[in-house]
Amino acid sequence: MLSTEMEKALNEQIKIEAESSQVYLSMASWAETQGFEGVAQFMYAHSDEERMHMLKLVKYINERGGHAKVSALDAPPLSFGSSKEMFKTLFDHEVMVSKSINELVHISLQEKDYATHNFLQWYVAEQIEEEALARTILDKINLIGDDKGGLYLFDNDVKQLTVISASSPQP
Ligand code: OFO
């Protein structure tokens, strides 16, 4: 059985994951309107992944005798300036999510809720991957600068990253 505090904190994470999904969906749509087909594909796939992160929490809370709550979400930004700015936003967003996961781990230890602590390890590992991926993309984009040809190749490159993450094992 989840403690009241643990349940509340996990429910807050549901909102964060759902908002992540919306942020990436908005990035996908913006990238598509800018002609970045590969980036759009990457963002659509990422949006789906975030929804899966959210659903995993919903199922877990209910399985442990709590009530997973589906709440209203904050609207994501509609445009992102440039690909570079967008990926910087993505990176900062993931750093924020990692902090939030760490806080959940902290609460699980305080509550001596070792089942939830164990459950959260999947998210801890996932955040390492997500931050590393965002950092790799940012490094690439910084190398390219404003070079149009480079940006075209980058757009194609990002498609490959989508394929890799889409084929990695799902929980
Ligand atoms: Fe759910 O990992 Fe990104 O936000």
Side-chain angles (χ1 to χ4, degrees):
M1 188 77 191
L2 293 171
S3 70
T4 311
E5 197 189 343
M6 193 74 256
E7 183 177 345
K8 185 167 173 277
L10 289 168
N11 263 306
E12 278 159 17
Q13 192 65 29
I14 287 185
K15 182 169 184 273
I16 290 174
E17 300 293 345
E19 282 173 353
S20 292
S21 181
Q22 296 296 85
V23 167
Y24 295 129
L25 186 58
S26 187
M27 286 178 173
S29 176
W30 180 79
E32 204 162 46
T33 65
Q34 304 300 304
F36 291 117
E37 196 197 311
V39 172
Q41 196 176 309
F42 172 83
M43 292 297 181
Y44 280 124
H46 205 111
S47 173
D48 284 349
E49 273 193 37
E50 296 297 347
R51 181 175 159 76
M52 186 271 289
H53 298 174
M54 186 266 295
L55 274 175
K56 211 170 144 68
L57 281 158
V58 169
K59 300 248 166 79
Y60 179 74
I61 294 172
N62 289 342
E63 192 179 281
R64 295 286 315 283
H67 179 193
K69 304 204 177 73
V70 178
S71 63
L73 305 177
D74 293 338
L78 294 179
S79 59
F80 298 89
S82 65
S83 288
K84 186 174 170 176
E85 280 174 49
M86 186 171 69
F87 280 106
K88 176 76 177 77
T89 304
L90 187 154
F91 179 71
D92 292 344
H93 183 83
E94 288 305 334
V95 169
M96 179 279 286
V97 174
S98 296
K99 281 197 183 129
S100 174
I101 296 290
N102 285 346
E103 187 52 31
L104 283 174
V105 172
H106 178 70
I107 296 169
S108 72
L109 288 174
Q110 265 180 346
E111 302 288 302
K112 295 194 169 61
D113 183 346
Y114 300 112
T116 299
H117 183 267
N118 187 45
F119 168 76
L120 289 171
Q121 295 314 302
W122 184 86
Y123 287 85
V124 172
E126 180 69 14
Q127 283 314 118
I128 294 172
E129 265 186 40
E130 296 221 342
E131 277 188 38
L133 180 62
R135 202 174 287 121
T136 304
I137 294 174
L138 262 185
D139 287 348
K140 274 182 198 266
I141 222 167
N142 279 329
L143 275 176
I144 294 161
D146 291 329
D147 177 52
K148 286 243 157 50
L151 276 174
Y152 178 79
L153 291 175
F154 166 78
D155 188 54
N156 254 308
D157 238 31
V158 170
K159 250 187 239 169
Q160 291 304 114
L161 292 172
T162 314
V163 172
I164 292 163
S165 79
S167 62
S168 61
Q170 300 285 311

